[in-house]
Amino acid sequence: MSCDEHVAQNDSTTVESSFGSSIKDNSVVKGFVTIIKNEGRENEQVLCRNKPNLLTNGGRDYAIAQFYTNTSAGGVGCNFIALTSDSTGADATDTTLPSEITGTGLERALATTISHSSGTNSTTLNKIFTASGTHTAVQMSGTFNQLAVGGTLAHMSIFTPVTLASSDTLSVSWTLTLG
Amino acid sequence: MGLDKTFKDYENNFSCDTLEQWVDHLGKTELTYTGNSACVTCGENVKFEWTGKLKNGKTYPNVLCEGCKSQ
């Protein structure tokens, strides 16, 4: 090995170190949430529009496992959307959506729309929930990697609390960027 | 110079920080979208690959299933 090649390896190490130190608050993966009650109806109500969401620590670890550390087949994408009336807020250390709604139309569901445009870093998830009963002060959403309660909570976002009656809809859209 | 903002279109050397700017870009730029979505008419889940400029103010295309398309 020549002296020049040795220098090149040292440079590589320096670059890696700089990259790590420049990452702040899960900033490589970002997301924006839009939540609309009764979209397209006369009584449409925008609860939040393009609101930056939170990537949880668990979500970051899950992404890293998919990209770098898994040594077997990969896991399912975090494309299941869940809701809760819990008011404790979103925190990066959360691993569950507290008091997650498990029925009456607002239970966790696979996003109906899962779309990615080639050559970009953007992906969209959307699900329109239809309440089949009354839900009071629904105010937080999260994405998971499985349909059943449990799994990895990847993203979270709070929004203006909203009460839904039977047949009201709630459109939840996540626009996520990676890199 | 690299793309350094939140939303990035590598094929067209474009990046921006807000979703509004991104949606505007998608309306002006032909891109290929792949994924799954509900048919806008009947709700059936449709796997799609669509190329075009998005004019619906969204970040994904509205899709029709084969049955609704043929009517």
Side-chain angles (χ1 to χ4, degrees), chain A residues 65-140:
Chain A
Q66 301 304 304
F67 278 121
Y68 307 122
T69 60
N70 270 1
T71 55
S72 56
V76 175
C78 295
N79 45 33
F80 297 88
I81 299 174
L83 295 161
T84 181
S85 299
D86 182 84
S87 61
T88 55
D91 190 288
T93 61
D94 285 343
T95 57
T96 62
L97 205 56
S99 306
E100 180 179 338
I101 297 170
T102 57
T104 339
L106 300 194
E107 62 272 18
R108 190 188 300 191
L110 176 65
T112 309
T113 297
I114 302 171
S115 177
H116 169 65
S117 43
S118 305
T120 77
N121 68 341
S122 172
T123 298
T124 300
L125 309 177
N126 173 261
K127 169 69 184 174
I128 299 175
F129 294 89
T130 302
S132 55
T134 300
H135 293 274
T136 304
V138 180
Q139 58 191 279
M140 187 157 59

Side-chain angles (χ1 to χ4, degrees), chain A residues 30 32 34 39 49-50 112-122 124 126 173 175 177-179, chain B residues 6-11 17 19-20 22 31-38 45 48 58-61:
Chain A
K30 294 184 179 178
F32 299 86
T34 295
E39 185 176 23
R49 187 181 291 281
N50 306 338
T112 309
T113 297
I114 302 171
S115 177
H116 169 65
S117 43
S118 305
T120 77
N121 68 341
S122 172
T124 300
N126 173 261
S173 293
T175 305
T177 62
L178 173 62
Chain B
T6 301
F7 293 95
K8 299 179 179 73
D9 176 354
Y10 300 98
E11 290 186 354
D17 274 329
L19 194 51
E20 288 83 359
W22 183 242
L31 291 168
T32 297
Y33 301 81
T34 55
N36 296 281
S37 192
N45 195 264
F48 66 84
K58 295 184 176 178
T59 54
Y60 55 92

